[in-house]
Amino acid sequence: MVSALLILMVMAGVGLLIQPSRQQFDWFLRLRRPGWLTFEGLIPLIWISIYACFYGSALLCWNASWSWGLMGGYGGWLWPWWSGPIPLPRWGC
C-alpha cells in the first residue's frame, strides 16, 4: 500500500513538472504539419523491418556463440523499446 501511494505521488509530481504553460500550449496548437510529411503510413512497415533485422542479428549471434549473456544484452537493449516511447528532456524553448 505504501509503495502504491509513493508511485502515485511520484506520478503526480512528474505530471505537475511537465505541465506546459498556457503560452506553450497555444504555441503547440498553432503548429501545422509540413506538406512533405507523408510517410506515416509506412511507419508500421519501418518498425517491422527494424524488429526483423534485430531478430535476425540476435539469431545469428545465438547460432554463433550460444551465449546467454549475449542474449541477455539483446533483451536489455530491447526492453525500453517494448515498454514504450522514451521521454525526451524539455530544453525550455
Side-chain angles (χ1 to χ4, degrees):
M1 183 65 178
V2 173
S3 60
L5 289 174
L6 179 64
I7 291 170
L8 181 64
M9 289 188 322
V10 168
M11 287 174 49
V14 169
L16 290 173
L17 260 172
I18 64 172
Q19 184 75 19
S21 68
R22 186 65 190 165
Q23 181 184 9
Q24 291 171 331
F25 189 68
D26 289 340
W27 172 82
F28 172 75
L29 291 177
R30 286 192 306 268
L31 290 176
R32 296 292 170 247
R33 297 171 61 79
W36 56 266
L37 195 56
T38 58
F39 63 89
E40 281 91 1
L42 297 176
I43 290 175
L45 296 176
I46 292 168
W47 276 109
I48 288 171
S49 64
I50 289 171
Y51 279 122
C53 290
F54 185 81
Y55 172 75
S57 169
L59 187 62
L60 289 172
C61 287
W62 175 255
N63 287 335
S65 69
W66 288 75
S67 167
W68 283 104
L70 187 60
M71 292 300 107
Y74 269 99
W77 185 86
L78 193 58
W79 179 257
W81 298 101
W82 281 342
S83 62
I86 299 171
L88 299 175
R90 291 176 46 183
W91 299 108
C93 296

